[in-house]
Amino acid sequence: MESLNLKNLTTESRNETTINIDKVSTLEMVKIMNDEDKKVANAVEKELPKIARAIDMIAERIHRGGRLIYIGAGTSGRLGVLDASECPPTYGVSEELVQGIIAGGKEAIFRAKEGAEDSEELAVEDLKSKNITENDTIIGLAASGRTPYVIGGLRYADQIGALTVSVTCNENSDVAKEAYISIAPVVGPEVVTGSTRLKSGTAQKLVLNMISTGVMIKLGKVYGNLMVDLRATNEKLIERAKGIVCKATGINMEEATEALNKTDYDVKLAIFMILSKLNKDEARIKLDKNKGYIAKALQEIDNK
């Protein structure tokens, strides 16, 4: 196998600012880390046009029946799994809609299986098991931008006709060359040389937050800035559901509880029933017609 050359990767270069981080006081140490972290948001800002483009294209494909699938190894893979796992409880989507695949399988989430990232063929097998189609989006996550597992996954996804997106932290990387949209916040050398769970990991987390949140907004899962499709599956979420109905409609907690009981704690339906003054069946039909967008459904009523 060809030997790896990491010396030209920004993520592997030595950070001159942190060379003495093992000798300074603890307070100075965390100040140095905090100063380095401040650079992350600026790096992500430079990639906003690409992030926005990805959001629009992903949402369009999901409307056609597609899915969003993250694929990565190590820290990058875990971040994808994390983002995917948080979408169902937050936005009420199925566990199939947003998925995370990590090299080495579920065990690699908890215990490092670094060798798994070297196989392009393993990524192909993992994606084949998902029966991906041209309506799906595959986002390859690799801080270094050279992970074979991610390269193999993106190449296969492109052959199928799926939308391919990469999230890396080095410019002009091998992974980026395999993606239709390349998102590459370059955060500079890490505080601890090569430890891409630090600034690179933070940058990837910010990008994934934007992508999944932006897509859910585009899918009508947010009304104003309220998450109206959450699943009220525990006591905290039940109280949160009541609060969201109150904020969206101006009613009190007692009225919100009554409305939610009528809809089996379907927050969006309860809000729309109150705002539209329609009964449950009429409100559901109107929401379905407008693909779950409360604002669009209300506008349709106002225009009549």
Side-chain angles (χ1 to χ4, degrees):
M1 186 175 74
E2 182 183 350
S3 62
L4 297 177
N5 184 357
L6 301 180
K7 66 180 182 180
N8 294 324
L9 298 181
T10 302
T11 52
E12 298 293 329
S13 57
R14 196 168 187 189
N15 192 327
E16 297 297 325
T17 305
T18 66
I19 283 178
N20 294 315
I21 199 167
D22 62 330
K23 300 179 179 68
V24 299
S25 70
T26 306
L27 179 58
E28 183 61 23
M29 175 183 72
V30 294
K31 282 183 176 178
I32 291 171
M33 294 179 71
N34 185 237
D35 285 341
E36 287 296 308
D37 285 340
K38 291 174 184 176
K39 300 174 183 178
V40 176
N42 289 332
V44 172
E45 182 180 15
K46 294 176 182 178
E47 300 299 294
L48 292 182
K50 295 178 181 178
I51 296 170
R53 187 183 181 204
I55 289 169
D56 285 335
M57 295 185 75
I58 294 166
E60 178 186 340
R61 279 161 173 74
I62 289 177
H63 276 306
R64 300 202 303 256
R67 299 163 296 173
L68 170 57
I69 299 175
Y70 301 122
I71 186 167
T75 297
S76 299
R78 293 183 191 98
L79 289 169
V81 170
L82 173 64
D83 196 79
S85 67
E86 291 177 340
C87 287
T90 307
Y91 297 109
V93 298
S94 74
E95 294 179 359
E96 297 296 314
L97 187 68
V98 184
Q99 301 182 40
I101 301 174
I102 183 170
K106 290 183 180 179
E107 184 184 342
I109 298 172
F110 306 101
R111 183 174 299 173
K113 297 180 71 174
E114 304 295 355
E117 72 176 54
D118 293 331
S119 173
E120 292 187 23
E121 293 75 18
L122 181 59
V124 174
E125 291 175 13
D126 288 342
L127 286 177
K128 281 184 176 179
S129 72
K130 298 294 182 181
N131 297 313
I132 65 170
T133 74
E134 61 184 9
N135 289 329
D136 293 326
T137 300
I138 310 302
I139 298 186
L141 309 172
S144 68
R146 55 140 305 274
T147 308
Y149 179 84
V150 177
I151 290 172
L154 290 175
R155 281 180 181 166
Y156 175 71
D158 184 61
Q159 292 170 10
I160 299 299
L163 173 64
T164 54
V165 180
S166 65
V167 181
T168 65
C169 292
N170 284 305
E171 292 181 301
N172 304 316
S173 68
D174 292 339
V175 166
K177 293 171 186 175
E178 303 295 338
Y180 185 75
I181 299 175
S182 165
I183 299 168
V186 179
V187 296
E190 294 287 3
V191 169
V192 175
T193 303
S195 180
T196 53
R197 61 180 290 268
L198 300 173
K199 289 192 296 182
S200 296
T202 301
Q204 289 179 94
K205 180 69 164 65
L206 290 177
V207 172
L208 298 188
N209 280 349
M210 287 183 181
I211 290 175
S212 59
T213 302
V215 168
M216 294 304 156
I217 291 171
K218 293 290 183 179
L219 295 178
K221 303 294 182 180
V222 175
Y223 176 60
N225 62 352
L226 301 171
M227 52 188 212
V228 293
D229 266 324
L230 85 161
R231 295 176 183 172
T233 53
N234 61 31
E235 188 174 340
K236 178 189 76 174
L237 294 176
I238 287 171
E239 292 305 307
R240 180 176 290 167
K242 294 175 185 176
I244 288 173
V245 173
C246 291
K247 290 168 185 172
T249 64
I251 64 176
N252 61 39
M253 289 290 278
E254 185 178 340
E255 292 169 322
T257 302
E258 182 181 349
L260 285 165
N261 283 331
K262 289 180 180 177
T263 65
D264 296 322
Y265 271 76
D266 184 325
V267 177
K268 179 186 286 182
L269 183 58
I271 290 170
F272 186 62
M273 280 175 59
I274 295 164
L275 295 178
S276 67
K277 298 180 172 58
L278 298 174
N279 65 40
K280 179 179 175 180
D281 292 337
E282 292 171 336
R284 192 183 299 279
I285 291 169
K286 185 68 70 175
L287 273 176
D288 288 344
K289 181 183 176 183
N290 286 276
K291 297 182 178 178
Y293 289 81
I294 293 178
K296 288 183 180 179
L298 289 171
Q299 185 176 19
E300 184 176 295
I301 292 172
D302 291 340
N303 290 337
K304 284 188 176 180

